[in-house]
Amino acid sequence: MNIATPPQVSTNTLRDAIVRHLCYSFGREPDFAGLEDWRMALSYAIRDHIADSWFRAAGTARREGAKRVYYLSMEFLIGRLLEDGIVNLGLVDQAREALAALGQDYDTVLADEPDAALGNGGLGRLAACFLESLSTLGCPAYGYGIRYEHGLFRQSFQGGRQIEAPETWLLQRHAWEFERPEALFRIGFGGEIEETGGKVLWHPAEHVDAEAYDTPIVGWQGKWANTLRLWSAKASDPFDLPAFNRGDFAAAAQPEALARTISRVLYPDDTTEQGRELRLKQEFFLVAAALRDILARFDKEHSDIRKLPEKVAIQLNDTHPAVAGPELVRILHDERSLPFEEAMEIARGCLSYTNHTLLPEALESWGEDLFGGLLPRHLQIADLIDNAHYEANPSRTQSMRADHQVKMGQLSFVMAHKVNGVSALHTELMKETVFSELHRLHPERIVNQTNGVTPRRWLLACNPRLSGLITETIGDGWVADLERLRELEPAIEDAAWRERFDAAKRANKVDLSNWMAAEQGVSVNPDAMFDVQIKRMHEYKRQHLNILETIALWQEMKDAPNADWTPRVVLFAGKAAPGYAFAKDIIRLINDVAAVLNADPETGDKLQVLFLPNYNVTLAERLIPAADLSEQISTAGKEASGTGNMKFALNGAMTIGTLDGANVEIREHVGAENFFLFGMTASDVTERRKVESHAAKAIEADPRLARALQAVRGGTFSPDEVDRYTHVADNIAGADYFLVASDFTEYWRASREADAAFRDPATWIRKAALNTARSGWFSSDRTIRGYMQDIWAARSYLSD
Ligand code: GPU
């Protein structure tokens, strides 16, 4: 199957298309157009070309009766899409010139696009990278999610404290979605089960409609485009007229309110489960709509439902869509009359499950009353699945139906033909812990697929200086074949080339400094080491270890202000779940520390701390290319993979990190000598926790740690409220579950090694460049190829 590349588009053609859309799609003459009009007109002009690839791809998949991959995810953290489209279509120069000819600045127009934050963090961003790679690889696929009215909250600081405001991406005009009023499914909740003549019927008590909105996601060079289909909840009966006529206006409005609530807001929790009914409703809403859509497409192309696993691969992005197991069995058995065992086999043939965390508090589990109240038939089916599965095995220590709960991890495992972890270490730990018993029963089921990131967004687009240098050096083949970055290695031995690599990094740092000066009113020294920790706020990620070490460094600098210190700018960004008090306290502590350190005339030019508000994909694209040091310092065994760690290494930052998640594999690829390793391993962690008073012992052994903690406890950073951080100090000195104290000494040692290395630019640049050259394996193209082969049995429809 030969898929043509899209025709070359000239600057003039693109300019004319922009003007045409401005006039005839938006009813604006160029002289009266505002920034948003220009952004929308350019987006539509680009979208036309994306749509052409999209139609071609859909046509090919239909004609070939292709197996489709369906990626079910409660989160898609897609960020801005305009630059992605322009870059993947190879239209950067044309777009820049066309806008210039129209008197508009390309970067300004691109920056007008809202950042669509329909996700919390790594899991949602991974889903977005996967969609782009699926398109780049020409694998027919759909992402299914929810079209939240409000994405992740907007974060600001007041007196150093996190303030949350609703995010309103849909208030600005959004260029990318196509409403599909014809793709509408009625989704039921609650109600009764009726058993008649050996048949089981579910009569839901309430209904809501799911309406589809499609966003095309184009791959590299526009050869293929897949669909992100997001469901929006609408009232089935928007208005209860009899209630209204009775004068019960509240009741009359209820269907509308209930319906809209379901797709109103993204749950802002990350790896902790709020256990709320609405969340389960959202999950079922997504799953039920997606499955109906999948089966409708299958029925159009095929007649034998037994062929479903040959034509349909459904990936569950963590357990959030796990109710797909019972729902698919219900459809096949109750509605399509297949025997129960066969329904289960077919469902399992289609389904596979990715686990993204081992944190016990994040493993979804629903009380059976809640679950059965909302999904009465699914509760029965969960029991049937559990019984069928355990018939041969009397031990049920890891059963999905213990303690009056429905455990979604176990359910997903049992209903999936493959279960995967997201890094080598995480996958091994899965086998040893949460799924040890199930793994013994099904030793073939667990496989690893180490995460990856799309090189189009995370190098080519976000770091034009470095990607330009790379292309000049080795050609542009690396964009679709990232392991070819290895071809840079000979150039890295050339001092003149290294200087150019360094110049690109330095220019990125100057850009970031200028932006921070303009946006935050803080000026930093671009020659300092840019030391960056950006990710969700969580105790296991240990932002508090980082700030403690920074405090200790400050104290030491004050002891010897004239010593030869390596200047550092310590940058943080990340959101805390609104209900996660400790994480919010760490944000405030970092802001308080920043205020004291940045105002200290003795150290202010050597050590600066900044917490940038409202971390999102766009801010990551700005920070990562400018980073020297990447902080990946989680308690070993806790970070399933990490993906930010990959983006930093790819952009030529050195990692300081523990042997956790994908850090292990990053270190193997870039070389141990190009990675600042410290801290306990996952098994050390388990052992250390058994040591009585481990934190107190660590503090006693390290006077630096003791002094830094004392400053936190004694109000050095909160003079107006001396005991503001007593509980933080108590936590670190007491239970210290995440072993901040026990890893501090090693972390300090590794940080000073980084300082020393940074003082020797020739060596540092070489190491940084080797990080870029050796990070090619972390492309999400490699990850998706792994899923296609090992899990989905799916193929590409591109011929190259
Ligand atoms: N992750 Br579970 C999330 O971002 N949200 C979640 O709800 C869950 C996991 C992250 C992991 O913490 C991170 O280690 C991993 O790299 C990422 O998923 C993608 O696999």
Side-chain angles (χ1 to χ4, degrees), residues 92-240:
V92 176
D93 293 340
Q94 292 91 323
R96 200 181 279 280
E97 288 162 17
L99 283 177
L102 294 162
Q104 302 302 312
D105 174 59
Y106 176 77
D107 297 311
T108 310
V109 170
L110 263 59
D112 182 63
E113 185 177 358
D115 183 293
L118 308 183
N120 277 291
L123 169 142
R125 184 54 235 175
L126 185 77
C129 284
F130 278 6
L131 289 182
E132 198 271 356
S133 279
L134 281 159
S135 293
T136 289
L137 296 176
C139 176
Y142 288 76
Y144 280 119
I146 294 179
R147 183 176 178 270
Y148 302 107
E149 265 174 64
H150 302 287
L152 188 57
F153 65 88
R154 192 182 298 275
Q155 177 198 55
S156 61
F157 301 131
Q158 241 173 47
R161 264 182 297 209
Q162 170 174 295
I163 305 294
E164 300 109 28
E167 200 273 348
T168 51
W169 69 293
L170 286 174
L171 288 186
Q172 288 129 299
R173 279 186 289 170
H174 179 68
W176 305 108
E177 58 182 16
F178 294 91
E179 187 175 0
R180 302 293 195 205
E182 77 286 358
L184 192 80
F185 297 101
R186 184 151 293 194
I187 312 299
F189 300 99
E192 308 293 328
I193 306 296
E194 186 196 353
E195 298 188 27
T196 47
K199 278 216 134 267
V200 181
L201 297 173
W202 174 31
H203 304 292
E206 53 183 18
H207 287 95
V208 44
D209 284 350
E211 189 196 350
Y213 287 75
D214 287 349
T215 298
I217 303 290
V218 69
W220 174 233
Q221 293 179 324
K223 293 177 187 172
W224 190 271
N226 284 315
T227 305
L228 170 59
R229 174 161 276 199
L230 300 178
W231 300 101
S232 180
K234 307 263 145 99
S236 302
D237 305 301
F239 190 58
D240 185 346

Side-chain angles (χ1 to χ4, degrees), residues 121-123 126 270-271 318 320 356-357 422 451 540-541 639-643:
L123 169 142
L126 185 77
D270 181 64
T271 70
D318 213 86
H320 316 149
H356 293 269
T357 184
V422 290
N451 285 167
Y540 83 79
K541 296 179 189 277
E639 190 69 273
S641 162
T643 45

Side-chain angles (χ1 to χ4, degrees), residues 728-768:
V728 174
D730 284 349
N731 180 304
I732 295 172
D736 195 21
Y737 183 75
F738 295 100
L739 299 166
V740 168
S742 295
D743 260 349
F744 180 91
T745 308
E746 270 273 278
Y747 180 50
W748 172 272
R749 191 258 315 143
S751 292
R752 300 293 76 73
E753 276 173 27
D755 281 348
F758 196 74
R759 273 199 298 274
D760 174 10
T763 312
W764 180 279
I765 299 162
R766 191 170 167 278
K767 286 171 178 290

